[in-house]
Amino acid sequence: GPGEGARPGNPAAGDKDRPIGYGRIQRKEDPRFIRGKGRYVDDIVLPGMLHGAILRAPVAHARLVSIDTSEALAHPKVKAVITGKDLEGLNLAWAPTLSADVQAVLVTDKVRFQGQEVAFVVAEDRYAARDALELIDVEYDILPPVIDARKALDADAPVIRDDLAGRTDNRIFDWEIGDADETEAVFAAADVVVAQDMVYPRVHPAPMETCGAVADFDPIDGGLTLYETTQAPHAHRTLYAMVAGIPEHKIRVVSPDIGGGFGNKVGIYPGYVLAVVGSIVTGKPVKWVEDRSENLMSTSFARDYLMRGEIAATKDGKILAVRTNVLADHGAFNATAQPTKNPAGFFSIFTGSYDLQAAYCKVTGVYTNKAPGGVAYACSFRVTEAVYLVERMVDVLARKLEMDPAELRLKNFIRPEQFPYANKTGWEYDSGNYEPAMRLSMKMAGYEELRREQAEKRERGELMGIGVSFFTETVGAGPRKHFDIVGLGMADGAELRVHPTGKAVVRLSVQSQGQGHETTFAQIVAEELGIPPEDIDVVHGDTDQTPFGLGTYGSRSTPVSGGAVALVARKVRDKAKFIAAAMLETRPEDLEWEKGRWFVKGDPGAGKTMAEIALGAHGTVALPDGIDGNLDAEVTYDPPNLTFPFGAYICVVDVDPGTGRVKVRRFIAVDDCGTRINPMIIEGQVHGGLTDGVGMALMEIIEFDEDGNCLGGSFMDYLIPTAMEVPDWETGFTVTPSPHHPIGAKGIGESATVGSPPAIVNAVVDALAPFGITHMDMPCTPARVWEAMQGRPRPP
Ligand code: MCN
Ligand code: CUN
């Protein structure tokens, strides 16, 4: 396609379809990963290191009566057993969450979800630590749990958070946005109104590597080195300093190679804090690594939104308004990791890609006896839920109006000349050109032909479905003035150093979990300075080695840190001009830039390459006043707005009428993330996200029984897709650069996870249309699909 191939390009110079910084190059990190030489937290072994294990609650809601740790302490290999009481003495029993709540590090009063942390054993090896858990005797007084969020606000519902002063119910917040009256007026006057209840079930990011930490507290100098599975090392360090009272300059957080994050590694988990406490108590390094069940049962889940959507339109299909009411299940502690002022994340982008007259939404957050979390799994701060809501609703409307769902979308898109577009809930979409993306996806799919095939198959009683979704994301938080996490503004730093021989190192505040930053961020520098990417080292994930910044989530690395890196490279380029002028004994204003060198205007032979300039900077040439003898720079980038990537997805499914099994036969994904750095990495991100979508739409759910037992605590129960369940992805792209980003790039890391579930569900519902089925909740498992077909007239 256009823009492919390994050639340097410069979008600013007009060739906007060309990838930058050598384009589709292979990943610099892969030689170590494919040889098994990655260095993950569990690979870290320190002299004298001990091992921790967590005792977890077997029940969802219970008063803690007593804990007897004497037998565990008597185990010959056990070095310490820590309980909530011990932590109370250190003022560490409760820790602040990222959403202005508190969370128990270890239970002191009451168990609030199954799998909650009750005690921590530190022993000579992992096996002894686990064995000793069995020797702890705990007495619980079992309480009735709140499992169904719909019952959380009932008058007789048990109050889960009786630890919070004055708390008499399970309400966390009520939040609304948009104009309720204006929206009601549009609904009242509209020709057509449709409504649908839908559930975006609780799912889990389930990264390949579970969470873990190695804490190394030095009792002599009071310093703490903490190796941690974290997506945000700097933010974690600041929080540890605030909470544990260890001075920030004495804390070093290292996030080594991470085996997938997907938002699961943003928050601070009790296990991390316990590893630190264990190291302080024993004077030895302590490693804690959770197992798969612990990861699935206790760490940050995703979604769990119960939504009612309404859409108002004219009878010829002009969408006028969208309204929604949400019940958000946040689990036992409000620990969602999202910007402070956004209790429902960025759900308010539920207005989608459409030009509306009015929009309104209300979200009520409640506590239940389930694990805390909520914002994870490539959600773009709950844009997943928003896109699912609006894209399902548009299909419900299309059915009601008997219109083609692709045509209905085309009719309602925000038009190119309307950008920057201010939507009805306060966002300013930076750029977009939706129709070409939609048309391209239809062309790639052979949309008309597919509809013909479907009609023929329906004649024969075969169940084929075609699902469309079109999404707009909001990623790259964000302007400091709008977004913070626990008071830390959302910006990112970058430092660039060009060594005397012209090789460079760039230091980032974001942290890759598999996204390929070591490659793509080198490509940004390569684009700006003309130094080949292989000569640029990318350093990240160590607070001692990198500038402050808020980390990787919400697909913010390219929009924010990518901007920082482009600007820091430009700063170096500008400085290089002064040094080159001194070397060439000319004036800086007489120099002109071409990739990799400054030369004298009109005399291209007289110039200096970056390598020559770097050596010159450290050499003997007399530099002008104010120019230091190096080729280094640093910046902190506070973006003016978020970026708004978008995409058009079409899914084709076949449903087996006998078993209810859904087969995704084809999936066409057209993405627009503005300027593309590395097309291969972008495709990898999209393939991964589409696979997530198949998982959520068809297989994945974290369910509970009525007692609050988690039914998704292993990969035998929590099903994730493999190569068997996914088709060969058909990807395409358009390029609509961000007007405010230094290189025009938008995020891509979560687009496909956000955009694909509604396409798949729309396809399943479309396949089942002959049965009169207009909606089905995820996951569309064979059992659910089969059941939905029962008792309904069979298609002809
Ligand atoms: N990229 C590009 N051109 C663009 C945009 C992005 O070449 N216009 C490249 C980037 O340079 C980067 C990758 O694509 O190498 C993803 O970039 P970006 O969209 O900025 O997202 P982040 O790097 O901030 O990654 C976070 C995002 C999130 S929030 C989740 S969740 C998720 C995702 O990334 N987790 C992942 N993708 C993941 N992929 C892997 N392998 N592992 C995870 O844990
Ligand atoms: Cu919501 S998951 Mo990603 O933003 O780390």
Side-chain angles (χ1 to χ4, degrees):
E4 306 299 302
R7 58 202 164 110
N10 185 353
D15 183 1
K16 73 180 176 65
D17 283 355
R18 196 188 272 186
I20 74 162
Y22 301 78
R24 182 186 285 272
I25 58 170
Q26 292 194 332
R27 303 201 326 162
K28 294 172 61 161
E29 39 275 89
D30 283 346
R32 73 174 185 278
F33 290 145
I34 60 178
R35 287 174 172 86
K37 296 290 182 195
R39 192 167 187 249
Y40 300 90
V41 166
D42 200 30
D43 293 321
I44 288 161
V45 176
L46 300 178
M49 187 174 80
L50 302 173
H51 297 261
I54 294 174
L55 180 72
R56 295 179 181 276
V59 292
H61 203 191
R63 205 153 286 290
L64 184 66
V65 180
S66 64
I67 305 189
D68 181 352
T69 60
S70 53
E71 246 188 276
L73 272 168
H75 186 293
K77 287 187 170 180
V78 167
K79 298 293 172 188
V81 180
I82 296 160
T83 65
K85 261 213 172 60
D86 303 325
L87 293 184
E88 262 173 347
L90 300 165
N91 205 16
L92 278 177
W94 294 83
T97 69
L98 297 177
S99 281
D101 195 355
V102 290
Q103 170 168 3
V105 177
L106 288 176
V107 172
T108 53
D109 54 342
K110 216 170 75 168
V111 168
R112 292 181 171 84
F113 68 92
Q114 188 191 44
Q116 195 182 341
E117 297 79 3
V118 176
F120 188 62
V121 171
V122 183
E124 282 169 22
D125 60 60
R126 186 174 162 92
Y127 307 98
R130 294 248 156 178
D131 283 350
L133 295 182
E134 315 253 311
L135 303 175
I136 301 174
D137 198 11
V138 188
E139 199 188 326
Y140 297 104
D141 183 7
I142 293 179
L143 300 168
V146 180
I147 302 305
D148 184 349
R150 297 175 192 90
K151 295 182 182 156
L153 297 176
D154 288 357
D156 60 349
V159 178
I160 298 168
R161 295 300 302 281
D162 51 356
D163 59 295
L164 299 172
R167 191 46 80 152
T168 54
D169 63 17
N170 295 313
R171 189 183 303 270
I172 307 175
F173 62 82
D174 279 307
W175 177 82
E176 56 178 349
I177 190 133
D179 190 323
D181 296 339
E182 186 184 48
T183 307
E184 174 51 35
V186 174
F187 267 86
D191 304 337
V192 184
V193 170
V194 286
Q196 179 65 52
D197 287 317
M198 59 186 90
V199 178
Y200 207 134
R202 176 175 282 237
V203 288
H204 198 283
M208 198 92 104
E209 176 201 34
T210 60
C211 298
V214 178
D216 185 12
F217 182 77
D218 181 339
I220 310 295
D221 77 353
L224 170 69
T225 304
L226 184 58
Y227 302 87
E228 236 195 3
T229 48
T230 172
Q231 300 178 214
H234 286 278
H236 275 210
R237 178 178 61 174
T238 302
L239 289 171
Y240 286 122
M242 287 171 168
V243 174
I246 304 172
E248 196 166 0
H249 68 294
K250 291 284 187 192
I251 305 176
R252 176 180 173 202
V253 174
V254 183
S255 187
D257 286 329
I258 299 293
F262 305 101
N264 192 231
K265 292 165 180 167
V266 178
I268 294 182
Y269 294 120
Y272 302 160
V273 179
L274 291 168
V276 173
V277 174
S279 182
I280 292 174
V281 167
T282 60
K284 296 274 172 60
V286 172
K287 176 185 281 185
W288 165 77
V289 177
E290 67 188 3
D291 67 21
R292 179 59 56 193
S293 292
E294 293 182 282
N295 180 258
L296 286 169
M297 290 176 67
S298 72
T299 63
S300 190
F301 72 93
R303 329 288 188 250
D304 221 342
Y305 259 32
L306 290 77
M307 309 185 275
R308 179 173 182 76
E310 291 173 280
I311 198 162
T314 65
K315 52 184 178 308
D316 56 352
K318 175 80 191 103
I319 301 172
L320 304 172
V322 179
R323 182 161 60 186
T324 171
N325 198 315
V326 178
L327 185 60
D329 184 339
H330 281 234
F333 305 99
N334 187 20
T336 56
Q338 64 200 356
T340 308
K341 282 173 239 160
N342 302 70
F346 294 169
F347 182 76
S348 55
I349 196 156
F350 68 89
T351 55
S353 313
Y354 310 107
D355 184 22
L356 304 179
Q357 291 177 10
Y360 172 74
C361 127
K362 182 170 176 237
V363 181
T364 298
V366 296
Y367 291 120
T368 59
N369 288 110
K370 301 181 197 166
V375 169
Y377 201 172
C379 67
S380 299
F381 296 127
R382 296 202 192 272
V383 181
T384 31
E385 289 91 323
V387 165
Y388 183 74
L389 178 98
V390 64
E391 289 307 292
R392 255 310 17 252
M393 286 317 299
V394 170
D395 256 45
V396 170
L397 178 66
R399 180 76 77 82
K400 168 96 177 182
L401 296 174
E402 294 178 354
M403 276 183 76
D404 180 89
E407 287 306 319
L408 180 59
R409 285 173 172 83
L410 282 163
K411 195 177 176 113
N412 285 285
F413 283 149
I414 300 163
R415 294 183 310 278
E417 67 275 14
Q418 289 177 286
F419 291 93
Y421 177 81
N423 88 334
K424 287 287 171 187
T425 55
W427 298 101
E428 189 186 283
Y429 295 21
D430 60 345
S431 65
N433 193 5
Y434 296 162
E435 185 175 337
M438 189 71 226
R439 297 260 182 231
L440 176 58
S441 70
M442 292 168 75
K443 189 168 157 239
M444 287 169 63
Y447 190 74
E448 302 299 322
E449 184 50 40
L450 283 172
R451 285 290 174 202
R452 268 195 297 278
E453 181 192 341
Q454 182 185 38
E456 281 167 24
K457 288 200 162 146
R458 278 193 183 159
E459 292 286 308
R460 300 201 294 267
E462 289 174 39
L463 303 176
M464 167 181 168
I466 305 164
V468 176
S469 81
F470 196 98
F471 65 92
T472 299
E473 272 214 276
T474 170
V475 299
R480 268 187 185 177
K481 60 178 187 285
H482 297 313
F483 302 111
D484 73 277
I485 289 187
V486 291
L488 301 169
M490 300 189 79
D492 276 292
E495 289 171 12
L496 177 61
R497 191 177 293 175
V498 185
H499 305 309
T501 58
K503 314 288 181 195
V505 56
V506 61
R507 298 166 190 280
L508 313 177
S509 58
V510 293
Q511 163 64 35
S512 168
Q513 303 98 46
Q515 298 89 341
H517 292 176
E518 289 165 49
T519 307
T520 48
F521 283 78
Q523 290 184 259
I524 297 174
V525 177
E527 173 74 19
E528 298 294 334
L529 296 183
I531 299 174
E534 60 271 22
D535 289 347
I536 301 158
D537 207 15
V538 175
V539 173
H540 60 157
D542 181 343
T543 54
D544 273 9
Q545 302 285 334
T546 57
F548 186 85
L550 274 236
T552 292
Y553 38 83
S555 301
R556 63 188 297 283
S557 302
T558 304
V560 190
S561 183
V565 167
L567 293 180
V568 82
R570 286 173 197 174
K571 223 168 161 177
V572 161
R573 192 167 74 200
D574 291 345
K575 181 172 180 180
K577 183 181 188 175
F578 285 91
I579 298 164
M583 294 170 77
L584 292 162
E585 297 180 352
T586 181
R587 295 180 310 166
E589 47 285 21
D590 292 336
L591 295 183
E592 203 170 308
W593 174 257
E594 73 177 354
K595 192 158 250 165
R597 67 194 280 270
W598 285 105
F599 66 94
V600 178
K601 271 179 211 156
D603 184 9
K608 293 286 176 195
T609 65
M610 279 305 290
E612 290 166 340
I613 299 168
L615 199 55
H618 294 90
T620 56
V621 181
L623 299 175
D625 282 351
I627 300 290
D628 288 343
N630 61 41
L631 204 45
D632 306 347
E634 57 180 70
V635 300
T636 295
Y637 179 61
D638 179 16
N641 191 4
L642 294 105
T643 66
F644 294 75
F646 56 90
Y649 290 178
I650 297 176
C651 175
V652 182
V653 301
D654 296 308
V655 176
D656 182 333
T659 63
R661 177 168 175 265
V662 176
K663 169 92 187 146
V664 178
R665 190 206 314 165
R666 288 182 66 196
F667 200 105
I668 296 90
V670 171
D671 272 278
D672 190 320
C673 57
T675 303
R676 292 152 59 86
I677 301 165
N678 187 322
M680 180 191 69
I681 286 181
I682 291 171
E683 279 162 24
Q685 291 291 302
V686 171
H687 289 184
L690 297 175
T691 306
D692 289 344
V694 169
M696 286 180 286
L698 303 181
M699 305 161 75
E700 300 174 8
I701 185 168
I702 300 279
E703 274 185 299
F704 296 83
D705 70 11
E706 58 191 22
D707 295 327
N709 293 308
C710 179
L711 305 179
S714 84
F715 282 157
M716 295 298 284
D717 309 295
Y718 188 71
L719 303 181
I720 58 175
T722 67
M724 297 295 289
E725 284 82 22
V726 301
D728 283 337
W729 308 112
E730 301 168 57
T731 58
F733 66 93
T734 58
V735 176
T736 311
S738 167
H740 63 78
H741 186 275
I743 59 168
K746 302 178 177 187
I748 188 68
E750 298 164 302
S751 292
T753 314
V754 166
S756 56
I760 300 166
V761 174
N762 286 345
V764 173
V765 174
D766 186 48
L768 301 179
F771 291 90
I773 289 166
T774 54
H775 176 72
M776 173 171 288
D777 280 329
M778 295 185 283
C780 303
T781 57
R784 282 193 187 186
V785 172
W786 185 85
E787 206 171 291
M789 290 187 286
Q790 303 314 301
R792 288 174 182 266
R794 276 193 71 91

